[in-house]
Each structure stands twice: as C-alpha cells, then as structure tokens.
Amino acid sequence: GQQLNQSPQSMFIQEGEDVSMNCTSSSIFNTWLWYKQEPGEGPVLLIALYKAGELTSNGRLTAQFGITRKDSFLNISASIPSDVGIYFCAGRAGTASKLTFGTGTRLQVTL
Amino acid sequence: GAVVSQHPSWVICKSGTSVKIECRSLDFQATTMFWYRQFPKQSLMLMATSNEGSKATYEQGVEKDKFLINHASLTLSTLTVTSAHPEDSSFYICSARDTRSVSYEQYFGPGTRLTVT
C-alpha cells in the first residue's frame, strides 16, 4: 500500500534540543495527523490538522498542515527523555477515509 | 475517554493453528474498526476495515480467507488468523472510529504480538 515519506528516518539528539521532522505525499490529503508510538504499544494521537496552513500546538509540540496539502511538519521544542519513540504522520483524503501512514521517524534523546 | 483494548497482548501459537484477537472500544461505540499489521521497524499497514453488521473490506494483497474479521457489535471486532504460519508473526494493531466524533478520528489499541513457531 501507499506510504508517506517521512524524514529524517532517525534522529539522535541531546536533551533540551529542538526537533523538526516532516512528511510528504504525492497526493493531497484533507487531514494530517501525528502519532507517537512507543515500543510494544499502539500509536497515540498527538496532533490533528484539518485545514491547509493550519498551525496547531500541543504543549511542546507544534504541527503544521502544508499549504499544498501534500506535506506536514512536526516540531518538538526542548526535548526530554520521554520524547523517545517513533513518530508517525498519517494522512486522510476524506472524512471517513482510511489513514495512510508515513514511514516513521525514530527519535532518541540523550542526556 | 476513547479507550481501545486488545486481547491478548501477546500470543504464541504453533504453525497450522488458528488465533483469535479481540478489539474492544471500552467507552464509546464504533461502527468502524480497522486492523493493521506492523513488522519490526516498519510502519503500520492497513489490512482491513471492519464495519459493524457487514462484511469487512480487505486491502489489496490481504487474504480474506486467512484473516477472518467479525464485527458483531458496536464495541467488538475480532481478527482470526487461520492456519497461521511463521511469516504471519507480527504486531497486530486495531483502531476504532468514534461515531460521536465529528472529526472521525481513530483511536488505537495497544497491539497484539503474534509469534508463530
């Protein structure tokens, strides 16, 4: 099935640093979602975006819905050890459509 | 709110046997549930969409006779892996869509790790 391209594939950062990751698609989506998955667990929804150009924050996390509707960005400020995990973007074409997931960005935070 | 559970959390079975995995929405009703499979270090791949009271819709390449899905109620969907083989070993994750939510968001279960020996 189709997957969205996420970059970077993995990141090793120091505690306190800011993190940026993005997700691109060859097709348009009307909803962009960002999830975090920890080992042996299911994904947890972090941020949902519903409008092109929308910028939404959830604590230290900020995500943007790209103007072209073909990309989205997630930023994490002042990273902490519990930010460790895999971050997935997901796109949805229509309200009741299925989700298409990105390839994931693996984040490691060192003290 | 919006909690989804899966049972079992892990299971080991012998090749050739069948395994049933349950997905429940605990505090909301879900007319639609989804089943995903995730191999190590890979993303989630949608296997099928399960609709309450009707047949599931399978993604291309997923054998419907091997992965039987039943969505008998608004809070329960089951995935049965029939005649399991080692290549079916994977992390199976379900999600449920809250019918009350205008945003149509999916909430994910904690996953079931299947190991076929």
Side-chain angles (χ1 to χ4, degrees), chain B residues 75-103:
Chain B
T75 59
L76 173 64
S77 176
T78 60
L79 169 69
T80 301
V81 183
T82 62
S83 187
H85 291 283
E87 56 265 30
D88 297 325
S89 298
S90 188
F91 194 50
Y92 291 86
I93 308 172
C94 73
S95 70
R97 179 183 287 154
D98 187 347
T99 55
R100 302 163 306 178
S101 170
V102 296
S103 62

mmCIF file of all heavy atoms in Angstrom, chain B residues 75-103:
data_model
loop_
_atom_site.group_PDB
_atom_site.id
_atom_site.type_symbol
_atom_site.label_atom_id
_atom_site.label_comp_id
_atom_site.label_asym_id
_atom_site.label_seq_id
_atom_site.Cartn_x
_atom_site.Cartn_y
_atom_site.Cartn_z
ATOM 1 N N THR B 75 -19.010 -2.482 19.793
ATOM 2 C CA THR B 75 -17.835 -2.329 20.637
ATOM 3 C C THR B 75 -16.824 -3.456 20.483
ATOM 4 O O THR B 75 -15.813 -3.476 21.184
ATOM 5 C CB THR B 75 -18.234 -2.245 22.129
ATOM 6 O OG1 THR B 75 -18.931 -3.437 22.483
ATOM 7 C CG2 THR B 75 -19.105 -1.023 22.396
ATOM 8 N N LEU B 76 -17.059 -4.386 19.573
ATOM 9 C CA LEU B 76 -16.169 -5.535 19.457
ATOM 10 C C LEU B 76 -15.946 -5.944 18.012
ATOM 11 O O LEU B 76 -16.880 -6.133 17.242
ATOM 12 C CB LEU B 76 -16.742 -6.727 20.222
ATOM 13 C CG LEU B 76 -15.997 -8.068 20.066
ATOM 14 C CD1 LEU B 76 -14.586 -7.966 20.645
ATOM 15 C CD2 LEU B 76 -16.782 -9.190 20.737
ATOM 16 N N SER B 77 -14.666 -6.071 17.656
ATOM 17 C CA SER B 77 -14.286 -6.655 16.383
ATOM 18 C C SER B 77 -13.236 -7.722 16.668
ATOM 19 O O SER B 77 -12.421 -7.559 17.568
ATOM 20 C CB SER B 77 -13.703 -5.599 15.437
ATOM 21 O OG SER B 77 -13.243 -6.188 14.228
ATOM 22 N N THR B 78 -13.275 -8.818 15.920
ATOM 23 C CA THR B 78 -12.282 -9.865 16.112
ATOM 24 C C THR B 78 -11.568 -10.165 14.805
ATOM 25 O O THR B 78 -12.160 -10.093 13.730
ATOM 26 C CB THR B 78 -12.910 -11.168 16.647
ATOM 27 O OG1 THR B 78 -13.880 -11.635 15.702
ATOM 28 C CG2 THR B 78 -13.568 -10.953 17.992
ATOM 29 N N LEU B 79 -10.297 -10.484 14.938
ATOM 30 C CA LEU B 79 -9.463 -10.903 13.808
ATOM 31 C C LEU B 79 -8.982 -12.309 14.101
ATOM 32 O O LEU B 79 -8.368 -12.536 15.144
ATOM 33 C CB LEU B 79 -8.269 -9.970 13.646
ATOM 34 C CG LEU B 79 -7.158 -10.427 12.683
ATOM 35 C CD1 LEU B 79 -7.659 -10.406 11.247
ATOM 36 C CD2 LEU B 79 -5.918 -9.543 12.819
ATOM 37 N N THR B 80 -9.299 -13.245 13.221
ATOM 38 C CA THR B 80 -8.827 -14.610 13.386
ATOM 39 C C THR B 80 -7.821 -14.921 12.293
ATOM 40 O O THR B 80 -8.150 -14.818 11.100
ATOM 41 C CB THR B 80 -9.989 -15.625 13.323
ATOM 42 O OG1 THR B 80 -10.937 -15.325 14.358
ATOM 43 C CG2 THR B 80 -9.481 -17.048 13.516
ATOM 44 N N VAL B 81 -6.615 -15.264 12.716
ATOM 45 C CA VAL B 81 -5.578 -15.686 11.780
ATOM 46 C C VAL B 81 -5.691 -17.197 11.656
ATOM 47 O O VAL B 81 -5.441 -17.927 12.615
ATOM 48 C CB VAL B 81 -4.175 -15.284 12.273
ATOM 49 C CG1 VAL B 81 -3.120 -15.659 11.239
ATOM 50 C CG2 VAL B 81 -4.115 -13.791 12.575
ATOM 51 N N THR B 82 -6.120 -17.666 10.508
ATOM 52 C CA THR B 82 -6.343 -19.099 10.329
ATOM 53 C C THR B 82 -5.107 -19.765 9.750
ATOM 54 O O THR B 82 -4.362 -19.154 8.974
ATOM 55 C CB THR B 82 -7.533 -19.351 9.393
ATOM 56 O OG1 THR B 82 -7.221 -18.794 8.106
ATOM 57 C CG2 THR B 82 -8.797 -18.691 9.928
ATOM 58 N N SER B 83 -4.889 -20.997 10.157
ATOM 59 C CA SER B 83 -3.745 -21.775 9.684
ATOM 60 C C SER B 83 -2.483 -20.912 9.671
ATOM 61 O O SER B 83 -1.863 -20.684 8.630
ATOM 62 C CB SER B 83 -4.030 -22.317 8.275
ATOM 63 O OG SER B 83 -3.018 -23.197 7.856
ATOM 64 N N ALA B 84 -2.151 -20.443 10.840
ATOM 65 C CA ALA B 84 -1.032 -19.495 10.958
ATOM 66 C C ALA B 84 0.300 -20.129 10.561
ATOM 67 O O ALA B 84 0.541 -21.317 10.798
ATOM 68 C CB ALA B 84 -0.954 -18.986 12.390
ATOM 69 N N HIS B 85 1.150 -19.308 9.946
ATOM 70 C CA HIS B 85 2.496 -19.725 9.575
ATOM 71 C C HIS B 85 3.494 -18.734 10.142
ATOM 72 O O HIS B 85 3.118 -17.602 10.495
ATOM 73 C CB HIS B 85 2.617 -19.795 8.051
ATOM 74 C CG HIS B 85 1.832 -20.911 7.446
ATOM 75 N ND1 HIS B 85 2.257 -22.226 7.495
ATOM 76 C CD2 HIS B 85 0.645 -20.917 6.801
ATOM 77 C CE1 HIS B 85 1.357 -22.990 6.910
ATOM 78 N NE2 HIS B 85 0.376 -22.240 6.477
ATOM 79 N N PRO B 86 4.759 -19.121 10.252
ATOM 80 C CA PRO B 86 5.757 -18.208 10.835
ATOM 81 C C PRO B 86 5.772 -16.825 10.190
ATOM 82 O O PRO B 86 6.006 -15.830 10.883
ATOM 83 C CB PRO B 86 7.073 -18.959 10.620
ATOM 84 C CG PRO B 86 6.677 -20.404 10.689
ATOM 85 C CD PRO B 86 5.321 -20.456 10.006
ATOM 86 N N GLU B 87 5.490 -16.738 8.889
ATOM 87 C CA GLU B 87 5.512 -15.423 8.244
ATOM 88 C C GLU B 87 4.344 -14.530 8.683
ATOM 89 O O GLU B 87 4.320 -13.331 8.364
ATOM 90 C CB GLU B 87 5.507 -15.566 6.720
ATOM 91 C CG GLU B 87 4.356 -16.359 6.163
ATOM 92 C CD GLU B 87 4.705 -17.822 5.946
ATOM 93 O OE1 GLU B 87 5.559 -18.355 6.696
ATOM 94 O OE2 GLU B 87 4.126 -18.434 5.029
ATOM 95 N N ASP B 88 3.373 -15.104 9.399
ATOM 96 C CA ASP B 88 2.275 -14.303 9.952
ATOM 97 C C ASP B 88 2.669 -13.652 11.275
ATOM 98 O O ASP B 88 1.903 -12.836 11.820
ATOM 99 C CB ASP B 88 1.027 -15.178 10.172
ATOM 100 C CG ASP B 88 0.492 -15.752 8.881
ATOM 101 O OD1 ASP B 88 0.565 -15.058 7.846
ATOM 102 O OD2 ASP B 88 0.015 -16.911 8.901
ATOM 103 N N SER B 89 3.819 -14.020 11.794
ATOM 104 C CA SER B 89 4.293 -13.413 13.041
ATOM 105 C C SER B 89 4.443 -11.915 12.822
ATOM 106 O O SER B 89 5.130 -11.474 11.901
ATOM 107 C CB SER B 89 5.638 -14.018 13.456
ATOM 108 O OG SER B 89 5.515 -15.399 13.703
ATOM 109 N N SER B 90 3.806 -11.145 13.674
ATOM 110 C CA SER B 90 3.802 -9.693 13.500
ATOM 111 C C SER B 90 3.121 -9.043 14.693
ATOM 112 O O SER B 90 2.654 -9.723 15.611
ATOM 113 C CB SER B 90 3.057 -9.332 12.208
ATOM 114 O OG SER B 90 3.184 -7.965 11.914
ATOM 115 N N PHE B 91 3.081 -7.732 14.675
ATOM 116 C CA PHE B 91 2.374 -6.945 15.681
ATOM 117 C C PHE B 91 1.065 -6.499 15.034
ATOM 118 O O PHE B 91 1.080 -5.808 14.010
ATOM 119 C CB PHE B 91 3.244 -5.749 16.081
ATOM 120 C CG PHE B 91 2.808 -5.027 17.321
ATOM 121 C CD1 PHE B 91 2.539 -5.716 18.486
ATOM 122 C CD2 PHE B 91 2.705 -3.646 17.333
ATOM 123 C CE1 PHE B 91 2.163 -5.056 19.653
ATOM 124 C CE2 PHE B 91 2.334 -2.967 18.491
ATOM 125 C CZ PHE B 91 2.058 -3.668 19.648
ATOM 126 N N TYR B 92 -0.056 -6.932 15.574
ATOM 127 C CA TYR B 92 -1.367 -6.602 15.008
ATOM 128 C C TYR B 92 -2.023 -5.532 15.882
ATOM 129 O O TYR B 92 -2.149 -5.699 17.094
ATOM 130 C CB TYR B 92 -2.251 -7.853 14.929
ATOM 131 C CG TYR B 92 -1.755 -8.851 13.900
ATOM 132 C CD1 TYR B 92 -0.790 -9.802 14.240
ATOM 133 C CD2 TYR B 92 -2.210 -8.816 12.589
ATOM 134 C CE1 TYR B 92 -0.309 -10.703 13.295
ATOM 135 C CE2 TYR B 92 -1.729 -9.705 11.637
ATOM 136 C CZ TYR B 92 -0.781 -10.641 12.002
ATOM 137 O OH TYR B 92 -0.294 -11.522 11.059
ATOM 138 N N ILE B 93 -2.428 -4.452 15.248
ATOM 139 C CA ILE B 93 -2.996 -3.317 15.974
ATOM 140 C C ILE B 93 -4.369 -2.999 15.394
ATOM 141 O O ILE B 93 -4.525 -2.951 14.168
ATOM 142 C CB ILE B 93 -2.110 -2.063 15.844
ATOM 143 C CG1 ILE B 93 -0.662 -2.374 16.221
ATOM 144 C CG2 ILE B 93 -2.646 -0.927 16.710
ATOM 145 C CD1 ILE B 93 0.300 -1.223 15.935
ATOM 146 N N CYS B 94 -5.332 -2.778 16.279
ATOM 147 C CA CYS B 94 -6.645 -2.368 15.799
ATOM 148 C C CYS B 94 -6.864 -0.900 16.162
ATOM 149 O O CYS B 94 -6.193 -0.352 17.034
ATOM 150 C CB CYS B 94 -7.750 -3.228 16.393
ATOM 151 S SG CYS B 94 -8.079 -2.905 18.136
ATOM 152 N N SER B 95 -7.790 -0.288 15.480
ATOM 153 C CA SER B 95 -8.228 1.057 15.854
ATOM 154 C C SER B 95 -9.732 1.126 15.685
ATOM 155 O O SER B 95 -10.329 0.320 14.957
ATOM 156 C CB SER B 95 -7.536 2.124 15.004
ATOM 157 O OG SER B 95 -8.015 2.087 13.672
ATOM 158 N N ALA B 96 -10.331 2.064 16.373
ATOM 159 C CA ALA B 96 -11.781 2.224 16.317
ATOM 160 C C ALA B 96 -12.113 3.686 16.102
ATOM 161 O O ALA B 96 -11.454 4.575 16.650
ATOM 162 C CB ALA B 96 -12.408 1.725 17.617
ATOM 163 N N ARG B 97 -13.112 3.897 15.269
ATOM 164 C CA ARG B 97 -13.545 5.266 14.987
ATOM 165 C C ARG B 97 -14.764 5.574 15.848
ATOM 166 O O ARG B 97 -15.745 4.854 15.822
ATOM 167 C CB ARG B 97 -13.886 5.403 13.511
ATOM 168 C CG ARG B 97 -14.379 6.776 13.104
ATOM 169 C CD ARG B 97 -14.759 6.796 11.648
ATOM 170 N NE ARG B 97 -13.599 6.773 10.786
ATOM 171 C CZ ARG B 97 -13.607 6.301 9.536
ATOM 172 N NH1 ARG B 97 -14.710 5.799 9.016
ATOM 173 N NH2 ARG B 97 -12.527 6.337 8.791
ATOM 174 N N ASP B 98 -14.683 6.666 16.599
ATOM 175 C CA ASP B 98 -15.772 7.073 17.482
ATOM 176 C C ASP B 98 -16.895 7.673 16.639
ATOM 177 O O ASP B 98 -16.709 8.717 16.000
ATOM 178 C CB ASP B 98 -15.242 8.092 18.492
ATOM 179 C CG ASP B 98 -16.254 8.446 19.554
ATOM 180 O OD1 ASP B 98 -17.445 8.118 19.395
ATOM 181 O OD2 ASP B 98 -15.849 9.066 20.549
ATOM 182 N N THR B 99 -18.041 7.048 16.641
ATOM 183 C CA THR B 99 -19.150 7.506 15.813
ATOM 184 C C THR B 99 -19.702 8.855 16.274
ATOM 185 O O THR B 99 -20.355 9.556 15.524
ATOM 186 C CB THR B 99 -20.298 6.475 15.821
ATOM 187 O OG1 THR B 99 -20.666 6.214 17.175
ATOM 188 C CG2 THR B 99 -19.873 5.193 15.161
ATOM 189 N N ARG B 100 -19.407 9.230 17.537
ATOM 190 C CA ARG B 100 -19.934 10.508 18.043
ATOM 191 C C ARG B 100 -19.057 11.671 17.600
ATOM 192 O O ARG B 100 -19.469 12.814 17.627
ATOM 193 C CB ARG B 100 -19.956 10.512 19.574
ATOM 194 C CG ARG B 100 -20.764 9.406 20.205
ATOM 195 C CD ARG B 100 -20.370 9.282 21.676
ATOM 196 N NE ARG B 100 -18.932 9.102 21.823
ATOM 197 C CZ ARG B 100 -18.306 8.996 22.987
ATOM 198 N NH1 ARG B 100 -19.011 9.075 24.108
ATOM 199 N NH2 ARG B 100 -17.001 8.835 23.059
ATOM 200 N N SER B 101 -17.817 11.347 17.239
ATOM 201 C CA SER B 101 -16.853 12.397 16.972
ATOM 202 C C SER B 101 -17.046 12.978 15.577
ATOM 203 O O SER B 101 -17.081 12.255 14.594
ATOM 204 C CB SER B 101 -15.421 11.839 17.094
ATOM 205 O OG SER B 101 -14.492 12.781 16.628
ATOM 206 N N VAL B 102 -17.118 14.291 15.500
ATOM 207 C CA VAL B 102 -17.265 14.936 14.186
ATOM 208 C C VAL B 102 -15.963 14.885 13.404
ATOM 209 O O VAL B 102 -15.946 15.100 12.204
ATOM 210 C CB VAL B 102 -17.732 16.404 14.336
ATOM 211 C CG1 VAL B 102 -19.112 16.460 14.948
ATOM 212 C CG2 VAL B 102 -16.727 17.194 15.162
ATOM 213 N N SER B 103 -14.863 14.624 14.107
ATOM 214 C CA SER B 103 -13.574 14.608 13.431
ATOM 215 C C SER B 103 -13.235 13.238 12.854
ATOM 216 O O SER B 103 -12.271 13.121 12.111
ATOM 217 C CB SER B 103 -12.466 15.027 14.403
ATOM 218 O OG SER B 103 -12.399 14.099 15.477
#
